[in-house]
Amino acid sequence: MRHPLFLALPFLAAIAASLPKLAAAETPLGVSSLAEAKAMYEHDVHACKNGAVDEDKRTCLEEARRAYDDARREVMSRQHHSKTSQHAKSAAEATDAKTGTK
């Protein structure tokens, strides 16, 4: 059984090649933004509906939806951690500025 995510790999590779900075910040599922996760999902759904996979349509669509949900959660989690890290860094810099330390 082939996972719909594998169908999106050439598409994702093209995006990653054109956006090298984003490619370095990918999630384990290989996406770097919510828009990219949505594009991957739409590609997978299209493949499911056109019978381009070796599984029944219902299972294919369920797996595409699960992969999209996982990718979306990963992107949002990474964005949250990035914001939290940036906030902590800013707070540390403000404290250093007040105390005159580095």
Side-chain angles (χ1 to χ4, degrees), residues 3-99:
H3 191 281
L5 179 62
F6 291 123
L7 298 173
L9 290 178
F11 175 75
L12 295 174
I15 291 172
S18 66
L19 303 169
K21 290 181 182 177
L22 290 178
E26 292 179 346
T27 68
L29 290 175
V31 296
S32 56
S33 69
L34 291 175
E36 195 173 337
K38 181 69 173 179
M40 179 186 73
Y41 170 72
E42 290 172 354
H43 179 271
D44 290 349
V45 167
H46 185 274
C48 294
K49 290 181 178 180
N50 290 322
V53 294
D54 296 331
E55 61 190 350
D56 66 276
K57 185 177 174 181
R58 180 178 174 213
T59 302
C60 183
L61 290 171
E62 286 175 8
E63 288 184 8
R65 183 63 178 176
R66 267 191 238 119
Y68 172 66
D69 289 343
D70 289 345
R72 187 175 48 81
R73 275 192 296 274
E74 288 175 7
V75 168
M76 295 184 75
S77 175
R78 192 185 71 245
Q79 288 173 349
H80 172 75
H81 290 312
S82 176
K83 287 179 184 176
T84 301
S85 295
Q86 184 60 38
H87 183 338
K89 182 180 175 184
S90 296
E93 289 171 353
T95 300
D96 290 346
K98 285 181 182 179
T99 62

